[in-house]
């Protein structure tokens, strides 16, 4: 397949933009990656390809067929290309469970991770940390059930829920670094600790997982912007 048949619009710090790239790598597909420097403005191609949300990632397949929203893209890749391992479970119940936890991570858990960095006051920060830890305990249980004793949520190979959760590991490490704490803890979440190491060293993942120190520098920039805009809002 020619590289120009598949393009991915993304941004290196975005966990969501990692997801389609990992899925394409699992399927051994070649693609063109187009870096969007969102802090400098959105490209015309992005605005044309995703006029509704105007967000990355976007996968463009063939003759200008854009697919938006990271988990929808991952599902599309799994259905559009039969080569390589299946990403979603074949069993309908297991597929539903994987989608449930992926939605939980996006809707509840990762927003709590982000709120740690911008929490106002120690009480707010403690509440956010507690929510993140509670979520990790739930994911430890989910890993035990979904993996059935194998290396990944998807079993023997990286699957849908591995991609959904694993894409957040970079920012989880940054949060740990900023707050001098361990959220993924060998005593509380031993399964997830081993899984995270396996996931990050996987051939489909290691080249798209951002360096923690580089991500931390970007995180400082983002937090400073959020706090500056919050301070400006309070002055009106």
């Amino acid at each position: 397949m020619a590289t120009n048949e598949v393009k991915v619009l993304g941004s290196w710090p975005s966990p969501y933009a990692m997801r389609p790239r990992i899925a394409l790598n699992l399927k051994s597909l070649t693609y063109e990656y187009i870096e969007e420097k969102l802090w400098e403005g959105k490209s015309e191609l992005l605005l044309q390809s995703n006029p509704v949300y105007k967000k990355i990632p976007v996968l463009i397949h063939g003759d200008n067929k854009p697919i938006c929203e990271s988990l929808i893209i991952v599902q599309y890749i799994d259905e559009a290309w039969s080569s390589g391992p299946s990403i979603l479970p074949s069993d309908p119940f297991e597929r539903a469970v994987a989608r449930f936890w992926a939605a939980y991570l996006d809707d509840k858990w990762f927003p709590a991770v982000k709120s740690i960095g911008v929490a106002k006051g120690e009480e707010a920060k403690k509440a956010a940390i507690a929510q993140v830890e509670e979520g990790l305990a739930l994911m430890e249980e989910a890993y035990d059930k979904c993996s059935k004793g194998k290396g990944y949520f998807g079993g023997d190979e990286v699957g849908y829920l591995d991609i959904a959760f694993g894409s957040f590991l970079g920012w989880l490490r940054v949060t740990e670094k900023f707050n001098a704490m361990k959220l993924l803890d060998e005593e509380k979440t031993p399964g997830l600790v081993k899984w995270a190491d396996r996931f990050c060293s996987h051939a489909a993942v290691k080249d798209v997982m951002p360096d923690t120190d580089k991500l931390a520098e970007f995180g400082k920039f983002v937090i400073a912007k959020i706090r500056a805009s919050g301070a400006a809002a309070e002055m009106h």
Side-chain angles (χ1 to χ4, degrees):
M1 186 184 64
T3 305
N4 62 4
E5 282 188 25
V6 181
K7 296 181 175 73
V8 177
L9 310 186
S11 182
W12 72 266
S14 169
Y16 306 104
M18 280 182 63
R19 291 169 170 177
R21 299 182 73 190
I22 293 169
L24 289 165
N25 290 342
L26 284 170
K27 296 284 188 177
S28 301
L29 297 166
T30 55
Y31 62 94
E32 180 184 354
Y33 175 67
I34 300 169
E35 179 72 19
E36 289 280 334
K37 295 180 180 176
L38 300 176
W39 48 95
E40 295 177 7
K42 297 177 181 181
S43 73
E44 195 59 36
L45 180 60
L46 174 58
L47 296 174
Q48 287 174 357
S49 303
N50 190 357
V52 177
Y53 288 112
K54 303 177 176 64
K55 289 180 180 179
I56 52 132
V58 177
L59 180 130
I60 301 171
H61 183 197
D63 187 20
N64 196 30
K65 291 196 296 190
I67 299 97
C68 308
E69 295 295 290
S70 64
L71 291 176
I72 293 172
I73 296 171
V74 170
Q75 292 176 60
Y76 175 82
I77 291 167
D78 197 34
E79 293 169 5
W81 289 281
S82 58
S83 62
S86 294
I87 294 171
L88 280 145
S90 57
D91 179 79
F93 177 74
E94 291 176 4
R95 198 157 58 238
V97 168
R99 285 174 170 149
F100 170 85
W101 285 117
Y104 165 77
L105 290 163
D106 279 7
D107 297 343
K108 293 281 187 185
W109 184 77
F110 191 59
V113 174
K114 290 192 289 185
S115 69
I116 293 173
V118 294
K120 292 182 179 178
E122 279 305 307
E123 288 306 310
K125 182 179 274 194
K126 281 180 185 175
I129 290 168
Q131 193 175 346
V132 170
E133 289 177 333
E134 181 186 337
L136 288 172
L138 289 171
M139 294 310 298
E140 176 79 8
E141 287 181 33
Y143 173 71
D144 189 50
K145 289 176 183 174
C146 294
S147 68
K148 298 173 185 172
K150 296 178 179 176
Y152 299 99
F153 283 91
D156 289 318
E157 185 55 275
V158 166
Y160 181 76
L161 188 49
D162 296 282
I163 295 171
F165 191 15
S167 61
F168 292 135
L169 289 173
W171 281 109
L172 186 64
R173 288 169 174 171
V174 168
T175 304
E176 290 178 328
K177 183 183 177 81
F178 282 169
N179 296 279
M181 65 165 74
K182 271 287 177 191
L183 291 164
L184 269 185
D185 180 86
E186 286 193 11
E187 286 187 19
K188 294 177 183 174
T189 55
L192 289 183
V193 169
K194 292 184 178 70
W195 162 80
D197 287 341
R198 268 192 299 274
F199 179 82
C200 291
S201 60
H202 192 285
V205 177
K206 59 184 180 181
D207 292 335
V208 297
M209 179 66 70
D211 174 75
T212 302
D213 289 337
K214 185 181 177 186
L215 203 55
E217 284 303 310
F218 184 80
K220 289 175 188 174
F221 165 73
V222 170
I223 289 168
K225 281 191 76 171
I226 291 169
R227 286 179 176 160
S229 64
E234 287 174 8
M235 290 170 69
H236 285 287

